[in-house]
Amino acid sequence: MENIGKSLPNKNDIKFTYESYRPILSEILSKIENKLRRSITLQSMPTYKSRVKSFGSYYRKVLRLKASEAEKHNFVPLTDMMGIRVICAFLEDLSEVERQVKENFDVREVEYKGAQQNFREFGYESVHVLIAIPADCMPEQRTLPLPENIVCEIQIRTILQDAWAEVEHELVYKTEFTPFDLPLKRKLASMNASLSLADIIFQEIRDYQKNLQGEVEARRAAFYDKADELTFNVPIEGKQKSESKSINRVSPYVRGTIDDMLLEAIQAHNHGELDKAIQIYSDILDSKPVPEAPVLAVIHKHRGMAFFARNDYKSALSDFKASVENDPNGFRSYYYIGIVQSIMGLHKEAVSAFDKSLEINEYQSHAHFRRAIAYFELGEYDKSLADLNSAQALGLNDAGCKSLNDKLVEKFGMKM
């Protein structure tokens, strides 16, 4: 018999040694997780899961992969004894987390789980990164020696990838069952494909939101620039005009839907195609969108800004008023009403609009500044000064503030 006299791993000895190391491994893992939390910066912050491998899982893997080594040493280091999952909201976050891990840790290996699967196969996808243990994550008191090659595994997944991995582990690996039945295989593959598709759709929506937000910010900046030029007659010294951002069109929506049309209209607006933008905004309004009020408020606001850019202040004012009728909490629309009324010389009405805007959100430096200008035009210099001080306290301190301050100094006949 071949096994007679052969030295076999002693399970009890291995367990005793491994359990002796568990507190050390737990301390290291906790420190690495804390360092990860400090190091990883995303717009949507990830969640973290960490664990030290249970002895049962550790022992089975040692016997399967490193039995000969276990015959000589009671403590055999595995790459996944310590594991941390970084669970992200979107697919785009995976590569960013990987990049930041590489910047902050000594990376020994990167494996892309599931990358080699074809479309007929099922299995979870995940990025596995092995890192060396940082010096500042070592235990303060080492009661046992640590192997030089000890590493920690960081798994980077989306929420849906993690959900699939958890369920797959329960269905397949924990039961030591591999599905051979073709219908069952198809069901698992279908579920995996559905989750993968959901991840892709979530990312497309995220891309769309970023695209739309970039266009909205560019359009809003152009609106403010024009308002400043009309208020002060010439471009404010030291203020550069905003340029339209060139953003690639990314939309997961069916062409012709409200979301798709809105993005197209804002892009046309930002590129100076005002007639086209106004027509698209009008088409959306004519479609009587549901739910009506929130959508109407947004579309009227955008069309009002297009009318303003075309110097049609009466139509712009009408649209901004329609916007607040559909959304009484739309502080920006009240602010836009005040700007247009100021430009039209309706300073008393402008003050009232700025009042309403600031009642909803008092932390608007530009609204305080615009109301200060309106008060100045009405000869209410004390109120103008108070609003100017509020605007500066909120961080606004540009050439416009200096210009108004100089005018107030002249009116008060003193230095402020």
Side-chain angles (χ1 to χ4, degrees), residues 219-220 222-224 226-227 230 269 281 285 293 296-344 353-354 356 360:
R219 188 255 316 129
R220 187 179 295 148
F223 176 87
Y224 292 153
K226 183 176 178 65
L230 292 169
H269 186 163
Y281 292 136
L285 292 170
L296 291 175
V298 171
I299 304 305
H300 277 295
K301 179 171 64 177
H302 288 310
R303 191 174 70 173
M305 298 177 86
F307 278 128
F308 182 84
R310 206 170 66 173
N311 300 323
D312 187 349
Y313 306 132
K314 184 177 179 180
S315 296
L317 185 58
S318 177
D319 262 331
F320 292 145
K321 287 182 176 180
S323 179
V324 295
E325 286 174 5
N326 286 280
D327 179 14
N329 292 318
F331 63 89
R332 281 201 178 93
S333 293
Y334 278 118
Y335 174 54
Y336 299 158
I337 289 171
I339 288 176
V340 177
Q341 288 174 331
S342 290
I343 290 169
M344 296 173 70
F354 293 134
K356 291 178 180 177
I360 300 169

Side-chain angles (χ1 to χ4, degrees), residues 14 17 64 66 73 78 94 112 122 140 149 164 181 186 193 229 261 336 349 358 374 385 408 411:
I14 293 173
T17 303
R64 189 172 76 251
K66 297 189 176 185
H73 307 286
L78 299 178
L94 302 183
Y112 301 96
F122 63 89
E140 295 179 3
N149 60 339
W164 169 257
D181 185 62
R186 285 174 174 168
E229 290 186 20
M261 293 171 71
Y336 299 158
E349 292 84 348
L358 289 165
L385 177 59
L408 286 168
K411 291 294 181 182

Side-chain angles (χ1 to χ4, degrees), residues 120-123 164 167-168 170-173 175-193:
R120 292 186 180 89
E121 295 175 316
F122 63 89
W164 169 257
V167 174
E168 184 190 42
E170 292 291 331
L171 288 177
V172 179
Y173 294 101
T175 59
E176 298 182 357
F177 164 74
T178 300
F180 295 101
D181 185 62
L182 186 58
L184 185 54
K185 276 188 171 184
R186 285 174 174 168
K187 286 179 181 178
L188 288 170
S190 176
M191 284 301 302
N192 186 34

